[in-house]
Amino acid sequence: MKIVCYECGKEQKDGNFVYRCSCGGLLEVIHDFTGLDAEKLKRLFAQRLSERMSVYASGVWSYKELIHPELAESDIVTKYEGNTGLYRSEQIRSALGIRELWLKAQSENPSGSFKDNGMTVAISHGRALGFERFTCTSTGNTSSSLAMYAALAEKEAIALVPRKQISLNKVLQTLAYGAKVIGFDGTYDDGIRFYERYGRELGVYICNSINPFRIEGQKSIVYEMAQSLNWELPDWIVIPGGALSNVTALGKGLQDMLELGFIRRMPKVAVVQAEGASPFHMMMSQGKRNLEPVERPSTIASAMNIGNPPSWSKARDFLSRTGGETCSVTDEEIMEAKALVDRSGIGCEPASAATVAGVWKLIAEKKIGAEESVACILTGNLLKDTDVLREYLLKDGRAQMLAADLTVESLERLIRGS
Ligand SMILES: *Cc1c(COP(=O)(O)O)cnc(C)c1O
Ligand SMILES: [Zn+2]
């Protein structure tokens, strides 16, 4: 296993952990998979589905050979993350008018978002390096996940969060796990810029997605999806894009599986951004090579409220190489799709619902064909943003709590809706 610069290829020394190469490029973990046998590994991964208590009961560490083969089991901090449901919903499928639809509910992770898939690896790696303080800048889900794992590992967690446009639920969750939460005036992008420059000086281990071990862990989402589908993936995988770490991990995981012979065909990937925070979609749809940051990103989907996504060049290269697509959706479209996902019984937070809204749009734009099969990655839990939920449900009377005296007559009236 090596850590190399994604842009110039220079190898970095792990013990001296940095987050960017001297050329400014992001780092990447490169594995040596020679000697790994796909059939043997598939059998091993299948056996691990019956694990209950060892680290291999985790939906991330069950693929340890492809994620962090060198890490000692005793350094692993896990909460049996991953192992999330892959659902079908006839309601959503028919509303979209697509042949086949899958929903991968990363919202079922222990802290309520896919950030756990990556965080378990970052925290474990940092602990193995001897760090005591773990930090991130976050719109809320990364900090919740960080705080949860740091608490499990009995380490200190510090979260830098923008004061505006984030979900109170996520901040409270982070505080509840015992983290120090520091609010600042600025955006997620300002926080990242700060840590890239001063993180080392502060002696903290940074758990943002500029940390390449987060990406390694997040690859497990697509490994797990492939394993659930007997290593036959759908035509399209649709994913929301904020910092673009998840699509980067998706691409890397798919590449691993193709190289190893787990899958025979590369599915196409579509990235969906919110209209008010869509620098990646703008770059890709205009055929540009470089990302122009959005200065004041704004969307109801707080997890995607990012104007300068760090992983853009990795995401660009993957989509360009594999014929992927991007699109942007409005906040209204996101909320409409969210209502559909919530009513299906699966439920998700706004950023996740952007995938379903995106499928709608990509079918209308004839980029996804109605005869194709699609999997959407639902990234976060329904309860992650109750302010947005309250606003949406109660404001226009879409749903409301009814009141009645406890008599048969008044209940009958309400139950029958007359
Ligand atoms: C972090 C997050 C995203 C965005 O993922 P990136 O890797 O930043 O692109 C989307 N949805 C939810 C719920 C998230 O927590
Ligand atoms: Zn470099």
Side-chain angles (χ1 to χ4, degrees):
M1 202 175 80
K2 288 189 300 189
I3 298 176
V4 301
C5 169
Y6 181 74
E7 304 297 337
C8 78
K10 191 170 108 186
E11 190 173 343
Q12 316 285 320
K13 289 196 189 64
D14 192 15
N16 202 10
F17 204 55
V18 293
Y19 303 90
R20 282 198 185 260
C21 173
S22 49
C23 82
L26 280 185
L27 309 183
E28 186 176 44
V29 175
I30 301 287
H31 295 279
D32 180 6
F33 287 149
T34 50
L36 289 187
D37 179 290
E39 290 311 312
K40 267 195 205 147
L41 276 178
K42 281 184 185 175
R43 277 197 300 277
L44 178 65
F45 296 160
Q47 276 166 21
R48 286 180 180 161
L49 293 175
S50 62
E51 291 277 347
R52 298 292 298 167
M53 294 303 290
S54 80
V55 296
Y56 300 107
S58 153
V60 174
W61 296 104
S62 56
Y63 309 101
K64 184 172 184 293
E65 288 73 10
L66 310 183
I67 289 174
H68 199 327
E70 293 164 15
L71 192 72
E73 281 179 30
S74 55
D75 279 320
I76 292 177
V77 186
T78 180
K79 211 179 173 197
Y80 308 116
E81 50 290 313
N83 296 316
T84 60
L86 182 65
Y87 302 108
R88 287 190 211 253
S89 159
E90 182 49 28
Q91 280 171 62
I92 308 175
R93 188 203 65 75
S94 61
L96 292 176
I98 189 92
R99 179 173 61 83
E100 189 172 56
L101 179 74
W102 295 99
L103 299 146
K104 178 72 172 152
Q106 291 312 106
S107 45
E108 293 172 354
N109 265 299
S111 85
S113 85
F114 81 84
K115 298 302 195 297
D116 295 345
N117 293 72
M119 198 57 74
T120 178
V121 181
I123 296 269
S124 301
H125 177 79
R127 178 162 90 163
L129 291 179
F131 280 88
E132 287 298 325
R133 294 197 175 93
F134 294 78
T135 193
C136 69
T137 187
S138 173
T139 62
N141 281 339
T142 302
S143 65
S144 301
S145 183
L146 167 83
M148 182 185 79
Y149 285 105
L152 285 170
E154 299 180 23
K155 304 289 180 195
E156 217 181 301
I158 302 118
L160 215 53
V161 301
R163 240 200 278 269
K164 288 191 195 116
Q165 280 194 307
I166 65 165
S167 143
L168 179 62
N169 301 77
K170 297 175 185 179
V171 174
L172 293 175
Q173 188 184 1
T174 305
L175 284 167
Y177 289 129
K180 207 172 266 171
V181 177
I182 305 168
F184 65 96
D185 289 318
T187 62
Y188 168 89
D189 307 299
D190 297 324
I192 288 284
R193 204 159 28 234
F194 176 83
Y195 267 154
E196 282 182 351
R197 191 172 302 166
Y198 301 111
R200 223 176 134 76
E201 214 169 297
L202 289 166
V204 288
Y205 182 85
I206 299 173
C207 295
N208 277 106
S209 59
I210 52 171
N211 181 326
F213 289 94
R214 279 268 312 276
I215 306 288
E216 290 310 295
Q218 287 167 204
K219 293 189 310 187
S220 62
I221 300 169
V222 74
Y223 296 159
E224 195 174 88
M225 185 193 291
Q227 189 179 16
S228 307
L229 295 172
N230 209 13
W231 309 102
E232 295 269 354
L233 287 165
D235 299 315
W236 286 91
I237 301 177
V238 183
I239 190 165
L244 302 171
S245 79
N246 215 13
V247 58
T248 294
L250 174 59
K252 197 163 187 278
L254 287 169
Q255 194 64 48
D256 289 348
M257 289 195 289
L258 196 66
E259 245 174 70
L260 281 160
F262 279 73
I263 55 172
R264 256 171 271 126
R265 174 181 73 95
M266 181 64 98
K268 290 192 176 168
V269 169
V271 177
V272 186
Q273 295 202 294
E275 209 169 79
S278 56
F280 185 65
H281 168 61
M282 285 196 283
M283 173 182 80
M284 297 298 285
S285 59
Q286 294 166 8
K288 293 197 177 138
R289 285 284 300 164
N290 290 304
L291 185 115
E292 267 175 51
V294 169
E295 282 304 322
R296 282 188 195 76
S298 177
T299 167
I300 199 164
S302 59
M304 303 198 291
N305 199 27
I306 293 173
N308 192 11
S311 295
W312 63 271
S313 66
K314 293 180 178 178
R316 174 201 63 197
D317 294 349
F318 175 73
L319 288 199
S320 308
R321 208 168 54 236
T322 55
E325 285 292 346
T326 64
C327 75
S328 74
V329 291
T330 64
D331 283 359
E332 290 70 34
E333 288 165 335
I334 287 174
M335 291 311 290
E336 201 183 323
K338 179 176 146 52
L340 194 59
V341 175
D342 290 351
R343 282 173 163 272
S344 76
I346 299 169
C348 66
E349 70 168 276
S352 317
T355 55
V356 171
V359 174
W360 233 319
K361 187 156 279 184
L362 290 165
I363 291 176
E365 291 174 354
K366 303 223 181 322
K367 287 174 176 157
I368 293 182
E371 74 295 346
E372 294 188 287
S373 55
V374 175
C376 291
I377 297 182
L378 300 180
T379 44
N381 190 284
L382 172 85
L383 288 173
K384 281 286 194 172
D385 200 333
T386 48
D387 286 338
V388 164
L389 200 55
R390 186 196 300 125
E391 177 94 350
Y392 181 81
L393 288 180
L394 301 185
K395 200 171 129 202
D396 300 325
R398 289 185 179 96
Q400 58 184 314
M401 191 159 88
L402 305 173
D405 301 324
L406 281 187
T407 64
V408 170
E409 296 75 39
S410 62
L411 280 185
E412 257 187 342
R413 197 152 25 85
L414 290 180
I415 290 167
R416 296 199 182 131
S418 61

